[in-house]
Amino acid sequence: MSKEQSGVAKAWEATIRKTQAAKKRANSIFGSSSVAHAEDETEDDYDGSNGGEPYIAEKVLPNGDYYTGQWLDNFPCGQGKYIWTDGCMYIGEWDRGKKMGRGRFSWPSGAAYEGDFKTGYMDGSGVYTGPSGDTYKGQWVMNLKHGHGVKNFANGDVYDGEWRRGLQEGHGKYEWTNGNNYIGDWKNGTICGKGTFVWTNGNRYDGNWEDGVPKGNGTFKWPDGSFYVGNWSKDPSDQNGSYYPSGSSIEQNLEWNPQDVYEMYLSESQICPGEKLSILPSQKKLAVCASSKTDGDKNRRMSVDGRSSVGIEKPFDRMNLLDGEDGYVSDGKTMEADLLGLHVEESIPKCLPMKIPKIVKRQGDTISKGHKNYDLMLNLQLGIRHAVGRTPPVTSLDLKPSAFDPKEKVWTRFPSEGTKNTPPHQSPEFKWKDYCPLVFRTLRKLFKVDAADYMLSICGNEALRELSSPGKSGSFFYLTNDDKYMIKTMKKAEVKVLIRMLAAYYNHVRSFENTLVTKFFGLHCVKLTGATQKKVRFIIMGNLFCSEYIIHRRFDLKGSSLGRITDKPESEIESTTILKDLDLNFIFRLQKAWFQEFCRQVDRDCEFLEQERIMDYSLLVGLHFREVSTNGDLIPSNNCMLSFLTAGEIENDSGPRLSRADLDQLLLDPARWARIRLGVNMPARVERTMRKSDCETQLIGEPTGEYYDVIMFFGIIDILQDYDISKKLEHAYKSIQYDPTSISAVDPKQYSRRFRDFIFNIFTEETLEV
């Protein structure tokens, strides 16, 4: 498993280890929870006057759900059947409102699971039948295939072996319908390790595998006894070996090409992908409404595990509690606030409901023919295709000092008619320069960027997109069509800074895989010919916000206040608007292990930038809100009713833990684990803040206790501004007019200290309350 996956995988495994302790905690929570009845429940039923024995009940719940079976102390307890309005159904054993023991859960698609349940999860031994007819019989842990199991796929393929976190991992056998079979090691759902593949014609391969194909030492054998042995690779340049014919087949396979194994032999034996469930049994809650013993709050709906607002009704919005006519809340004015235990001071201003901004799906303007920068875009694409396509692959990450020499640059002439090394093109002649090409080629390998994908993103048939306006520095920004890469034009001084610090940057990003500093992939220059002799220098960077999630809010944060506010009214703010320090209205809450790693990495990155005399950098933060109503309101999460499976500090458990919502979401799509790392696709929570009305420069507002579940993205950007003479003069000038601590242009050591102090105040460790 890769390092990116380890944090979330540890969370999942830590949750499993703590199941028994969590169950005990659940009993205490359930014993004190006020859980609702159906509206026609009697007082005698509510207070559990049945002598502690389950009794038969039939309940039609307010949202249309139906339950029939044994009931005790406000919970299903014993045998019972629950039917949800969406068509899901569970028949089996219950324990205090949780699916526990043997049972059968069915989906409206026709899929069904029959087997063991623990605390609402498929856990133990069971059989799952998919809507297409595929079946899995074996071991489960918290909704995932985990242990030994047999999977019969709908197309007739069969896998019999070990599973881990929902994917084939360990030793197993896969047999295809065409008769081919593989026996050996698996990892993360693919063939990986040592194993044997046997074809129906008698051919077989014994050796090492990686990502589903032969890689490393291996032997290919024919039925007649001839064989090929050597080092295998999908890249023909890395493939080498020897062919040994048998006595009866000297001429038969002399022209055999090992690449046929990749291109022909394995093409008809693909691994069937796993099915993704639309919803997990642990996500299906019991929806009931409050009885008269909850102080008359009959309209509030709660789930059995204490969460409010489940099912089909609109989640309870805590912001609606603050409904004083003059913008303040008086004691006793709102019964719901009293029920939730909220202590609201009369001096706190009213929190209006938050809405997501207008969504802009495609940022920037496409550079089509006739655009003023159309020729420049063509020059860029031709140069990238030439630079990346003609260079050999990197063999080592250890670079000689000469690779970082400022004189290490390559000029290439691109005449319109073409040369033996460059293609003909329609734009005027230009020259192309690559700065330190070996360094950036190695950086791309270090950052796991495939050369073909890189060229396709930048140089494919789709045009680049230019952002609507240049940044404050005057630089222009371009996005690739797939949003993976951002291209920024640079000043000569910025190029010098990057070349100067390139060796230190390379060593830093190589040493710290989770670094938050910008990833650089290439540094180039286009020199136009003719009278102007104009030079355009540009850097290619990773786009932090390239994600399947919509980024609803973006913040550029420095820890300074002078000019750090967006000059746009709320109605004009879009999802692509970059907000600044004085626009910030959240505190970011990371789970313990992530927060500790975040603090360590910010310290490392800031120390590196300080040593390189860099200042004026920012932390770019993007938020995707996970719960949004149909009318665009952000839906707060419940702060004090989190899942008992992960609540509280567990003794001797320092690994990251997931909330039930995060865990359920990951179990629906285990492949998401590989995409989560520090600063990318991170499940987290944010707490809303409010600034005092009489303090316009207050950097961090007061916490309101209003929380939202989010997916977070963050990284340190703009790291090429050194503290040169112009910045020193700017600092001296502005210090006369303004508070020196409020301006951006300060000494790198002071900037680093102020930046960290600010960041460590707006990021905090998540504390889960029960």
Side-chain angles (χ1 to χ4, degrees):
M1 178 177 290
S2 64
K3 291 182 180 180
E4 290 88 347
Q5 296 171 280
S6 61
V8 179
K10 286 180 181 177
W12 183 81
E13 291 167 351
T15 305
I16 295 171
R17 292 196 305 269
K18 301 303 177 181
T19 298
Q20 293 302 320
K23 186 176 178 181
K24 293 178 181 179
R25 184 179 299 108
N27 290 334
S28 64
I29 295 173
F30 285 142
S32 60
S33 295
S34 175
V35 184
H37 275 228
E39 289 184 347
D40 58 353
E41 199 80 55
T42 65
E43 288 285 328
D44 290 337
D45 286 338
Y46 181 81
D47 62 17
S49 59
N50 290 281
E53 294 294 329
Y55 62 96
I56 301 299
E58 183 174 353
K59 301 178 182 296
V60 178
L61 302 171
N63 71 332
D65 290 357
Y66 172 81
Y67 174 80
T68 179
Q70 293 177 295
W71 189 272
L72 177 66
D73 292 338
N74 312 324
F75 300 100
C77 190
Q79 288 288 334
K81 177 169 71 172
Y82 194 102
I83 303 176
W84 287 267
T85 54
D86 62 2
C88 291
M89 179 173 67
Y90 172 76
I91 304 174
E93 299 176 6
W94 298 81
D95 181 22
R96 301 186 65 80
K98 291 291 181 184
K99 297 175 275 295
M100 182 80 75
R102 299 290 294 182
R104 185 179 192 275
F105 188 95
S106 60
W107 287 262
S109 64
Y113 167 84
E114 186 165 359
D116 295 330
F117 286 84
K118 291 181 184 177
T119 61
Y121 292 90
M122 299 181 288
D123 198 308
S125 178
V127 178
Y128 171 82
T129 304
S132 59
D134 55 325
T135 62
Y136 169 84
K137 182 178 182 179
Q139 296 300 307
W140 299 76
V141 175
M142 296 185 70
N143 291 336
L144 290 183
K145 306 174 188 72
H146 195 83
H148 184 267
V150 179
K151 177 72 178 284
N152 290 274
F153 294 90
N155 68 347
D157 292 358
V158 179
Y159 173 82
D160 184 347
E162 297 300 312
W163 298 75
R164 185 171 175 82
R165 294 183 300 276
L167 299 171
Q168 297 99 322
E169 183 158 331
H171 189 80
K173 177 181 179 180
Y174 195 105
E175 186 169 352
W176 285 266
T177 53
N178 60 14
N180 297 343
N181 69 81
Y182 167 83
I183 302 176
D185 296 334
W186 295 73
K187 187 174 182 180
N188 291 332
T190 61
I191 298 173
C192 189
K194 291 186 177 181
T196 299
F197 197 108
V198 180
W199 284 265
T200 52
N201 61 6
N203 294 345
R204 63 184 289 156
Y205 169 84
D206 297 275
N208 294 321
W209 297 74
E210 184 177 301
D211 293 331
V213 295
K215 180 68 180 292
N217 294 327
T219 302
F220 190 93
K221 299 178 182 179
W222 285 267
D224 61 10
S226 58
F227 62 94
Y228 172 92
V229 62
N231 182 70
W232 292 73
S233 175
K234 201 170 184 179
D235 185 349
S237 63
D238 293 335
Q239 174 91 37
N240 60 78
S242 300
Y243 171 71
Y244 297 89
S246 67
S248 61
S249 62
I250 295 177
E251 303 295 334
Q252 182 177 352
N253 298 313
L254 289 177
E255 301 300 324
W256 179 74
N257 184 357
Q259 291 301 306
D260 290 346
V261 172
Y262 300 95
E263 298 171 6
M264 298 170 53
Y265 288 33
L266 293 173
S267 61
E268 296 180 358
S269 298
Q270 301 298 314
I271 306 299
C272 287
E275 178 190 347
K276 294 181 181 180
L277 297 176
S278 58
I279 193 165
L280 298 168
S282 55
Q283 292 179 309
K284 300 303 294 181
K285 310 302 179 186
L286 277 70
V288 291
C289 66
S291 75
S292 59
K293 288 212 171 185
T294 57
D295 294 331
D297 185 18
K298 290 188 176 182
N299 294 322
R300 186 180 174 201
R301 297 178 59 245
M302 300 183 69
S303 68
V304 167
D305 63 358
R307 299 183 188 181
S308 64
S309 307
V310 297
I312 60 173
E313 294 184 8
K314 184 175 182 281
F316 187 77
D317 191 339
R318 290 175 57 188
M319 295 181 291
N320 292 335
L321 301 178
L322 309 178
D323 59 356
E325 293 179 2
D326 56 358
Y328 300 91
V329 176
S330 302
D331 292 339
K333 205 168 201 180
T334 309
M335 183 183 299
E336 291 84 354
D338 294 334
L339 290 172
L340 287 176
L342 299 179
H343 179 63
V344 186
E345 298 290 344
E346 292 194 16
S347 60
I348 296 178
K350 177 178 180 178
C351 294
L352 297 175
M354 297 190 69
K355 289 183 176 290
I356 60 169
K358 179 183 176 182
I359 304 299
V360 178
K361 293 185 178 181
R362 297 290 287 175
Q363 189 178 7
D365 301 321
T366 300
I367 304 177
S368 54
K369 196 165 186 178
H371 191 284
K372 63 178 181 179
N373 288 325
Y374 180 73
D375 286 339
L376 180 62
M377 181 193 73
L378 293 181
N379 298 161
L380 167 65
Q381 292 177 324
L382 286 167
I384 292 291
R385 190 179 292 116
H386 171 80
V388 178
R390 289 180 55 85
T391 53
V394 173
T395 57
S396 173
L397 297 179
D398 296 317
L399 299 179
K400 296 179 180 179
S402 58
F404 301 94
D405 193 312
K407 297 179 181 179
E408 189 68 18
K409 45 195 173 186
V410 179
W411 278 104
T412 304
R413 178 171 161 266
F414 279 81
S416 301
E417 64 275 13
T419 67
K420 65 178 182 178
N421 295 321
T422 62
H425 55 89
Q426 297 178 350
S427 60
E429 178 179 330
F430 68 95
K431 288 184 178 181
W432 170 268
K433 183 196 290 188
D434 274 322
Y435 296 88
C436 300
L438 180 59
V439 176
F440 287 101
R441 198 184 318 149
T442 312
L443 281 171
R444 292 195 293 271
K445 179 181 179 180
L446 189 65
F447 294 141
K448 298 179 175 60
V449 173
D450 180 78
D453 291 341
Y454 183 71
M455 284 194 293
L456 188 62
S457 292
I458 301 174
C459 314
N461 294 329
E462 301 292 342
L464 302 178
R465 305 196 313 275
E466 183 180 67
L467 299 192
S468 56
S469 61
K472 187 178 179 181
S473 64
S475 299
F476 282 86
F477 292 85
Y478 304 92
L479 283 172
T480 57
N481 185 66
D482 57 9
D483 288 334
K484 285 184 179 179
Y485 303 103
M486 181 172 284
I487 302 166
K488 175 187 175 184
T489 61
M490 301 179 69
K491 296 179 180 178
K492 186 176 181 179
E494 291 178 307
V495 173
K496 289 183 175 181
V497 170
L498 179 54
I499 296 297
R500 184 201 73 201
M501 63 182 282
L502 190 56
Y505 171 85
Y506 178 82
N507 292 329
H508 181 77
V509 298
R510 185 180 176 185
S511 300
F512 303 110
E513 187 177 18
N514 282 334
T515 181
L516 299 175
V517 297
T518 304
K519 289 181 170 59
F520 295 131
F521 301 116
L523 179 62
H524 312 283
C525 176
V526 169
K527 182 179 180 181
L528 305 179
T529 58
T532 59
Q533 296 287 302
K534 179 182 178 183
K535 289 184 180 180
V536 181
R537 304 168 184 88
F538 52 88
I539 185 78
I540 302 176
M541 308 175 289
N543 179 16
L544 180 64
F545 294 152
C546 178
S547 171
E548 70 269 27
Y549 296 106
I550 296 174
I551 307 300
H552 295 127
R553 289 280 181 180
R554 304 169 190 233
F555 295 95
D556 180 285
L557 306 171
K558 294 186 177 183
S560 58
S561 58
L562 183 62
R564 301 294 297 161
I565 191 168
T566 304
D567 55 353
K568 283 186 177 182
E570 181 69 25
S571 59
E572 294 182 12
I573 292 178
E574 299 176 336
S575 59
T576 56
T577 301
I578 304 296
L579 304 172
K580 300 179 182 178
D581 298 66
L582 293 178
D583 302 306
L584 181 64
N585 54 346
F586 295 110
I587 291 175
F588 310 112
R589 295 185 170 273
L590 305 181
Q591 293 187 13
K592 183 177 180 180
W594 284 121
F595 178 71
Q596 291 174 344
E597 175 61 23
F598 171 77
C599 293
R600 286 192 294 266
Q601 195 56 56
V602 168
D603 280 334
R604 294 166 185 152
D605 291 339
C606 286
E607 287 168 5
F608 157 67
L609 294 172
E610 183 181 328
Q611 290 170 3
E612 295 303 312
R613 302 288 295 167
I614 301 297
M615 43 76 69
D616 212 23
Y617 44 88
S618 309
L619 185 75
L620 186 64
V621 178
L623 300 179
H624 167 81
F625 291 92
R626 297 171 63 181
E627 296 292 338
V628 181
S629 68
T630 55
N631 63 355
D633 288 340
L634 301 183
I635 301 173
S637 64
N638 197 333
N639 179 37
C640 58
M641 292 294 184
L642 296 177
S643 168
F644 67 84
L645 282 170
T646 56
E649 292 297 329
I650 300 177
E651 188 176 0
N652 299 324
D653 179 19
S654 59
R657 293 184 299 279
L658 303 175
S659 70
R660 178 182 286 271
D662 290 336
L663 186 60
D664 282 340
Q665 199 61 37
L666 285 170
L667 298 184
L668 282 170
D669 183 8
R672 278 189 57 207
W673 291 349
R675 303 196 295 270
I676 296 176
R677 59 182 175 84
L678 186 67
V680 178
N681 290 317
M682 288 188 62
R685 288 203 306 164
V686 295
E687 181 179 6
R688 189 180 183 186
T689 60
M690 294 284 288
R691 288 182 175 80
K692 296 177 181 178
S693 57
D694 59 346
C695 187
E696 295 182 356
T697 59
Q698 181 186 10
L699 271 179
I700 304 174
E702 303 296 329
T704 64
E706 191 174 287
Y707 297 84
Y708 299 89
D709 291 324
V710 297
I711 301 295
M712 285 195 70
F713 301 79
F714 50 80
I716 296 175
I717 63 170
D718 295 338
I719 63 169
L720 298 179
Q721 180 61 63
D722 65 344
Y723 195 55
D724 57 11
I725 186 62
S726 64
K727 288 297 179 181
K728 291 178 181 178
L729 291 173
E730 179 185 343
H731 173 76
Y733 174 74
K734 289 186 176 179
S735 295
I736 299 173
Q737 296 179 296
Y738 308 103
D739 179 0
T741 62
S742 69
I743 60 181
S744 295
V746 295
D747 175 84
K749 187 172 184 178
Q750 181 184 345
Y751 191 93
S752 172
R753 183 171 60 251
R754 185 183 66 187
F755 179 81
R756 279 187 269 188
D757 287 344
F758 175 65
I759 295 303
F760 294 151
N761 274 315
I762 62 173
F763 280 79
T764 185
E765 181 181 327
E766 176 69 286
T767 56
L768 303 180
E769 304 174 9
V770 179

